């Protein structure tokens, strides 16, 4: 996950006075192009300083969760949000002017205030919003399932049970236990929605969801329709996978626990949120499965530790022609969960200062974390590419889906052939292992698609008022049934707040970016493989070591957000529209197999 509370939150602004003129004097006359340029230039001079301070405070808060660090981060965030609102409103003074294209885009970005948390004008409400946001994230970070006073499980321990246990009752207990962390958040989240919506309306948006959807170089409703179009392209593949997994879970647990034609109980999919299903691969593997390539076993056989896993990720990027990460990355990143304090373990990448990039991750030596590391480093290399080429206002990804997609694009090249090249695997398996490889990948990538779509579908409805506090939990599970075909593991009334058990909700991180990234990464992968001259099956392609593909990738990364995202997409792929056919191309052998397996089985759910 990208977490850059510093310079990439481009509207971290301040009360601006144009050089040589007071703000009141500047506002009294008709503005000129020179005024607009001075306004933007002065903004960029200050954004770096404000972003760095906020980023450092947020880093400390996430790594040392105390009331003091929470308050420090909250205070800086409050000032930063208030200033961003001031600058966004100040930029509206130049509405209607004809400006040079680059200046016009910068002004647009300032007016969009591309941070996920606008604040009301009232300073007291700004303080309240900042404190509420910090406390919600801290509550999640400190969250534990306590069976009794002496037996508490953190998210890592609960996740381990969800991943490894095959006991229906143990999984149910762990799932229910983790969800107990969320109900205390509910009243604060309700207040958060009210305050954030007021801030969005001050910026002339109808609500916070409309503001988020406006950040994609298209009208908000058009963006929502674009997501629906993409989901329509990939849904047949998801439905086929769902039908196969459900049939195998019926076999494992019995039809009395898993309905043969209904939604799958949420606790049986190997993940707290049922968003990725790779951990239950042994239950759904092909009948003649040989187990495929077990990356976890390969890492442990080579005695690879947590830090060396990160070195593997770095070496992938350097093989493409990128410079190594700075020394400070290795000195300042968090790789292991500390034993003496609470931290937010959710993996994230940080851009704190010039040439100061970090990841924060409680790494375990597993194949899953090996992939996650490649994802997080993708953020860092993207950050450095646009930092070196772009002014402050253009230091972000073409859209937020791009940022999430880059690391996952690289991770798609973590193929058996790549594992051979880096010495983790002795020889590349033949095509007989492709089905296993694709099914493992689909259990994470394809299974994730509807979840990544519905999280913001829920929040957009909450922000617009379509879903009221009286129906938070009901609406959440209605969407999970509709898109995922998943049902709660136990009865869920409104005394629960199950959305809050997912980090991105209390942390106020928009989630549509992950849906876009899940589509874009395959489109990027197809284009980079083509650039590398690869002509075989798409799922077997690895661009590791290919400088031509690396140059193509870097050319897009360097653009940052300086151009509308279709232009960045074109620079990478030669296409101007996001296209899910690449994911269908990648998984075609699996889809052919699923269609055969599912003959006679119900597909879909009641």
């Amino acid at each position: 996950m990208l977490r850059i509370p510093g310079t990439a939150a481009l509207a971290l602004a301040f009360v601006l006075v144009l050089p040589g003129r007071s703000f009141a004097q500047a506002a009294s006359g008709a503005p000129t192009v020179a005024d607009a340029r001075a306004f933007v230039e002065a903004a960029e001079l200050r954004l770096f300083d404000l972003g760095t301070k906020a980023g450092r405070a947020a880093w400390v808060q996430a790594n040392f969760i105390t009331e003091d660090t929470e308050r420090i981060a909250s205070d800086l965030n409050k000032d930063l949000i208030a200033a961003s609102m001031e600058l966004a409103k100040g930029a509206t003074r130049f509405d209607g002017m004809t400006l040079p294209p680059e200046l016009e885009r910068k002004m647009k970005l300032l007016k969009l205030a591309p941070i996920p948390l606008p604040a009301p004008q009232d300073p007291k409400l700004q303080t309240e919003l900042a404190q509420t946001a910090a406390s919600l994230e801290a509550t999640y970070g400190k969250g534990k399932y306590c069976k009794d006073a002496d037996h508490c499980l953190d998210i890592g321990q609960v996740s381990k049970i969800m991943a490894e246990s095959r006991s229906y009752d143990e999984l149910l207990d762990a799932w229910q236990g983790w969800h107990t962390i969320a109900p205390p958040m509910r009243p604060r989240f309700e207040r958060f929605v009210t305050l954030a919506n007021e801030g969005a309306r001050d910026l002339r948006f109808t609500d916070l969801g409309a503001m988020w959807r406006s950040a994609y170089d298209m009208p908000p409703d058009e963006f929502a329709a674009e997501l629906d179009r993409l989901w329509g392209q990939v849904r047949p593949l998801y439905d086929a996978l769902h039908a196969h997994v459900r049939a195998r879970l019926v076999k494992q647990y019995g039809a009395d626990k898993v309905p043969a034609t209904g939604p799958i109980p949420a606790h049986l999919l190997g993940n707290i949120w049922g968003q990725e299903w790779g951990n239950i691969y042994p239950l759904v593997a092909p009948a003649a499965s040989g187990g495929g390539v077990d990356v976890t076993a390969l890492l442990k056989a080579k005695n690879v530790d947590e830090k060396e896993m990160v070195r593997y990720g770095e070496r992938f990027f350097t093989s493409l022609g990128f410079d190594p990460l700075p020394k400070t990355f290795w000195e300042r990143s968090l790789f292991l969960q500390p034993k003496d304090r609470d931290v937010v373990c959710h993996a994230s990448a940080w851009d704190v200062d010039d040439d100061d990039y970090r990841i924060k991750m409680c790494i375990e030596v597993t194949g899953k974390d090996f992939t996650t590391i490649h994802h997080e480093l993708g953020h860092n290399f993207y950050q450095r590419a646009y930092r070196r080429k772009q002014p402050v206002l253009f230091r972000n990804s073409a859209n937020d889906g791009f940022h999430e997609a880059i690391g996952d694009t690289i991770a798609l090249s973590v193929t058996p052939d790549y594992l051979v090249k880096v010495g983790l695997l002795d020889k590349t398996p033949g095509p007989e292992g492709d089905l296993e490889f694709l099914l493992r990948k689909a259990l994470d990538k394809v299974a994730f698609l509807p979840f990544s779509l519905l999280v913001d579908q829920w929040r957009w409805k909450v922000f617009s008022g379509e879903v009221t506090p009286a129906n938070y939990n009901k609406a959440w599970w209605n969407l999970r049934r509709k898109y995922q075909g998943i049902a709660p593991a136990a009865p869920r009334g409104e005394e629960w707040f199950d959305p809050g058990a997912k980090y991105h909700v209390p942390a106020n991180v928009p989630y549509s970016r992950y849906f876009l990234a899940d589509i874009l990464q395959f489109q990027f992968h197809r284009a980079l493989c083509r650039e590398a001259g690869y002509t075989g099956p798409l799922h077997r392609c690895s661009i590791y070591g290919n400088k031509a593909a690396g140059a193509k990738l870097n050319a897009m990364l360097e653009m940052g957000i300086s151009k509308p995202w279709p232009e960045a997409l074109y620079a990478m792929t030669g296409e101007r529209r996001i296209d899910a056919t690449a994911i269908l191309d990648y998984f075609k052998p699996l889809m052919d197999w699923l269609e055969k397996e599912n003959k006679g089985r119900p597909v879909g759910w009641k």
Side-chain angles (χ1 to χ4, degrees):
M1 185 195 84
L2 177 67
R3 182 58 191 265
I4 36 178
T7 53
L10 300 179
L12 308 187
F14 56 95
V15 178
L16 180 69
V17 177
L18 299 179
R21 304 168 70 189
S22 72
F23 192 87
Q25 288 172 328
S28 63
T32 65
V33 172
D35 289 337
R37 193 179 304 279
F39 180 88
V40 169
E41 289 176 354
E44 291 191 305
L45 289 174
R46 293 293 304 278
L47 283 171
F48 179 80
D49 179 61
L50 288 169
T52 299
K53 290 176 180 176
R56 292 191 190 284
W59 174 266
V60 172
Q61 182 213 353
N63 287 280
F64 299 87
I65 303 175
T66 69
E67 291 185 8
D68 289 330
T69 59
E70 185 179 322
R71 177 59 64 88
I72 291 168
S74 171
D75 287 346
L76 282 171
N77 199 38
K78 177 202 69 173
D79 295 342
L80 183 147
I81 291 171
S84 75
M85 299 294 290
E86 178 75 25
L87 188 54
K89 291 169 188 172
T92 63
R93 178 169 174 259
F94 304 98
D95 286 352
M97 291 184 61
T98 301
L99 300 173
E102 180 176 300
L103 186 58
E104 182 179 10
R105 183 157 182 82
K106 288 182 177 181
M107 200 68 73
K108 175 186 175 181
L109 294 174
L110 283 172
K111 286 184 288 187
L112 274 173
I115 56 172
L117 186 56
Q121 296 185 56
D122 186 333
K124 291 182 179 180
L125 297 182
Q126 292 170 3
T127 299
E128 183 185 358
L129 177 61
Q131 291 176 348
T132 301
S135 71
L136 284 167
E137 183 170 6
T139 298
Y140 185 94
K142 293 183 287 189
K144 289 181 173 64
Y145 165 37
C146 293
K147 296 185 177 183
D148 54 58
D150 299 319
H151 187 198
C152 290
L153 304 177
D154 61 27
I155 189 172
Q157 293 165 315
V158 173
S159 295
K160 185 177 178 63
I161 294 171
M162 299 298 296
E164 298 177 358
S165 176
R166 296 295 179 258
S167 164
Y168 186 95
D169 291 337
E170 185 179 22
L171 290 168
L172 178 59
D173 178 72
W175 186 90
Q176 289 180 304
W178 178 252
H179 284 77
T180 62
I181 74 163
M185 303 177 191
R186 186 171 180 136
R188 281 174 284 160
F189 184 79
E190 291 179 27
R191 183 61 177 160
F192 168 86
V193 170
T194 299
L195 295 171
N197 270 345
E198 184 174 335
R201 285 191 289 270
D202 285 344
L203 292 176
R204 303 177 186 177
F205 296 98
T206 56
D207 58 68
L208 182 57
M211 179 178 165
W212 286 0
R213 296 193 301 277
S214 297
Y216 293 92
D217 294 303
M218 61 176 65
D221 290 345
E222 186 177 330
F223 175 68
E226 181 71 357
L227 298 188
D228 288 339
R229 178 186 68 83
L230 293 168
W231 172 237
Q233 284 186 291
V234 298
R235 178 162 185 172
L237 176 58
Y238 176 81
D239 285 354
L241 181 66
H242 179 281
H244 172 68
V245 168
R246 180 178 56 194
R248 291 298 184 89
L249 292 176
V250 170
K251 182 178 180 181
Q252 174 73 18
Y253 295 106
D256 59 324
K257 292 184 171 64
V258 181
T261 61
I264 299 171
H267 63 303
L268 301 180
L269 293 162
N271 176 272
I272 295 173
W273 310 282
Q275 67 180 54
E276 294 166 333
W277 306 346
N279 289 318
I280 64 165
Y281 173 80
L283 300 182
V284 302
S289 172
V293 176
D294 187 339
V295 177
T296 299
L298 295 176
L299 293 168
K300 291 182 176 179
K302 297 289 185 180
N303 295 316
V304 176
D305 63 15
E306 296 81 4
K307 200 167 187 177
E308 183 60 20
M309 288 170 67
V310 184
R311 292 285 187 188
Y312 274 103
E314 180 192 42
R315 288 193 289 268
F316 197 115
F317 284 91
T318 57
S319 83
L320 300 178
F322 291 89
D323 293 336
L325 291 162
K327 181 181 178 182
T328 54
F329 172 87
W330 302 100
E331 296 170 341
R332 300 172 185 175
S333 292
L334 178 79
F335 301 122
L336 293 172
Q337 182 172 6
K339 297 181 179 179
D340 61 343
R341 66 182 191 271
D342 291 323
V343 301
V344 178
C345 270
H346 193 92
S348 53
W350 297 64
D351 172 13
V352 180
D353 201 341
D354 269 342
D355 215 33
D356 182 354
Y357 311 98
R358 313 174 189 181
I359 64 170
K360 178 185 60 58
M361 182 176 173
C362 303
I363 299 173
E364 296 184 6
V365 181
T366 66
K368 182 175 179 60
D369 278 7
F370 190 70
T371 299
T372 300
I373 286 166
H374 286 75
H375 171 93
E376 298 303 336
L377 292 185
H379 289 307
N380 288 145
F381 281 93
Y382 203 163
Q383 290 159 346
R384 185 164 64 178
Y386 56 61
R387 259 187 181 272
R388 289 178 170 179
K389 291 291 184 179
Q390 299 296 341
V392 171
L393 282 171
F394 290 159
R395 291 178 183 176
N396 207 342
S397 58
N399 68 41
D400 53 9
F402 277 63
H403 231 310
E404 298 298 334
I406 292 303
D408 279 346
T409 299
I410 297 303
L412 288 176
S413 282
V414 180
T415 62
D417 184 56
Y418 162 72
L419 297 173
V420 171
K421 289 181 179 178
V422 299
L424 288 173
L425 186 64
D426 292 335
K427 63 179 181 179
T428 303
E432 66 277 1
D434 284 8
L435 179 59
E436 297 173 30
F437 174 81
L438 287 170
L439 181 55
R440 285 182 183 273
K441 187 76 70 175
L443 289 169
D444 286 337
K445 298 294 184 180
V446 178
F448 181 64
L449 284 164
F451 184 82
S452 62
L453 186 63
L454 72 85
V455 174
D456 276 354
Q457 295 281 350
W458 179 80
R459 281 191 288 195
W460 294 345
K461 293 175 185 293
V462 168
F463 293 139
S464 72
E466 180 181 343
V467 170
T468 66
N471 294 300
Y472 276 172
N473 227 42
K474 179 180 179 181
W476 174 255
W477 284 106
N478 283 345
L479 287 169
R480 297 200 65 182
R481 288 185 181 92
K482 174 182 176 180
Y483 285 103
Q484 286 186 287
I486 288 177
R492 313 305 283 174
E494 292 302 325
E495 71 274 18
W496 297 101
F497 181 53
D498 293 333
K502 176 61 182 172
Y503 170 79
H504 300 73
V505 174
N508 195 48
V509 179
Y511 215 77
S512 296
R513 63 184 64 175
Y514 301 107
F515 177 77
L516 292 175
D518 222 25
I519 303 294
L520 282 167
Q521 62 190 265
F522 291 94
Q523 193 170 358
F524 291 168
H525 181 64
R526 183 170 64 183
L528 291 175
C529 290
R530 185 168 58 236
E531 184 69 20
Y534 179 83
T535 57
L538 190 55
H539 62 274
R540 281 185 158 260
C541 171
S542 178
I543 63 168
Y544 177 78
N546 192 282
K547 297 296 194 296
K552 189 83 168 179
L553 173 62
N554 189 57
M556 191 276 284
L557 300 185
E558 288 180 339
M559 293 174 67
I561 198 172
S562 63
K563 303 289 184 184
W565 66 261
E567 295 190 36
L569 180 66
Y570 184 81
M572 168 82 85
T573 68
E575 301 154 347
R576 298 186 185 276
R577 195 178 194 190
I578 302 176
D579 181 14
T581 61
I583 196 170
L584 302 179
D585 290 348
Y586 187 96
F587 288 107
K588 186 179 186 307
L590 176 65
M591 184 61 171
D592 293 342
W593 178 80
L594 288 171
E595 288 178 337
K596 293 178 182 177
E597 285 290 298
N598 286 335
K599 284 185 178 179
R601 292 173 175 168
V603 176
W605 50 89
K606 293 181 180 178

